[in-house]
Amino acid sequence: MNKSITFLLLISFFLSCNRNSERIKITVSHYDNLNIDESKWKDIELIKDSLIDLKQTKVDLYFSQKVAKIPYYLPTNGIYKDSIKDKECDIDSFDESVRSFAFLKCYEYDSMKRVKSMSVSGSGTMGTWNYKYDELNRITNIENLGTIYTIKYDDKYGILKEIIKDLSGNLEERIEIMYE
């Protein structure tokens, strides 16, 4: 009798776990026209027909950065102000032996404590990235030294659908994420 109850409990547990997950098929393609004729796009499938669980894998800009290195610079630990971001701009928080190699990120915030801009300096990198958001607090636009990233989201799932990298009017790269 105890085995029957245990078996039923296990089955109900697995069924409830399965209901809480939403598995979808994802394909990620990277298109670019860098170093080739502008009329031809190089298409690389980074992920093809993989099943992901939306409860476990957040498909956002950090996902794209990990998979395709686009966009290359994003605020550390998310878009909101936190203690990690405060430490990144404090040169005194680095050990004296590595200060000359320190990579500093300094942030400015909007009224909702979201990153409005991020300045990066150190190790041969300098620049300021400016961020714009939609009403759902998702980054929709990143601008840096004439390069503009336009970010679009899927209507059904509310997750990342496309990133377009445009350099001074010349479309350079695009990440497209398709869901089934």
Side-chain angles (χ1 to χ4, degrees), residues 97-146:
S97 63
V98 296
R99 282 188 187 168
S100 61
F101 303 105
F103 186 77
L104 297 178
K105 285 184 179 179
C106 299
Y107 302 92
E108 288 183 36
Y109 303 96
D110 64 13
S111 61
M112 298 175 71
K113 296 188 178 184
R114 301 176 300 193
V115 174
K116 178 173 70 172
S117 70
M118 174 182 71
S119 298
V120 177
S121 63
S123 299
T125 302
M126 292 183 75
T128 299
W129 285 257
N130 298 304
Y131 301 91
K132 292 183 183 170
Y133 300 88
D134 65 9
E135 64 280 349
L136 298 174
N137 295 320
R138 299 177 300 194
I139 296 174
T140 57
N141 186 281
I142 303 171
E143 188 173 338
N144 169 256
L145 299 172

Side-chain angles (χ1 to χ4, degrees), residues 29-118:
S29 296
H30 178 201
Y31 302 92
D32 76 50
N33 67 351
L34 301 172
N35 302 318
I36 60 173
D37 180 4
E38 286 186 25
S39 65
K40 297 176 184 172
W41 281 82
K42 187 167 75 175
D43 174 9
I44 301 168
E45 278 189 326
L46 302 172
I47 299 173
K48 183 172 174 66
D49 296 336
S50 290
L51 284 176
I52 63 166
D53 185 341
L54 291 178
K55 300 280 185 197
Q56 295 177 0
T57 303
K58 190 172 182 181
V59 183
D60 60 5
L61 286 175
Y62 293 92
F63 174 85
S64 174
Q65 185 185 44
K66 181 180 174 187
V67 170
K69 303 287 187 259
I70 296 175
Y72 197 75
Y73 289 105
L74 287 172
T76 301
N77 204 34
I79 64 169
Y80 292 101
K81 182 176 181 166
D82 62 16
S83 61
I84 293 172
K85 289 180 188 63
D86 292 340
K87 288 179 184 175
E88 285 186 310
C89 193
D90 181 9
I91 191 71
D92 294 331
S93 68
F94 292 92
D95 184 73
E96 204 168 311
S97 63
V98 296
R99 282 188 187 168
S100 61
F101 303 105
F103 186 77
L104 297 178
K105 285 184 179 179
C106 299
Y107 302 92
E108 288 183 36
Y109 303 96
D110 64 13
S111 61
M112 298 175 71
K113 296 188 178 184
R114 301 176 300 193
V115 174
K116 178 173 70 172
S117 70
M118 174 182 71

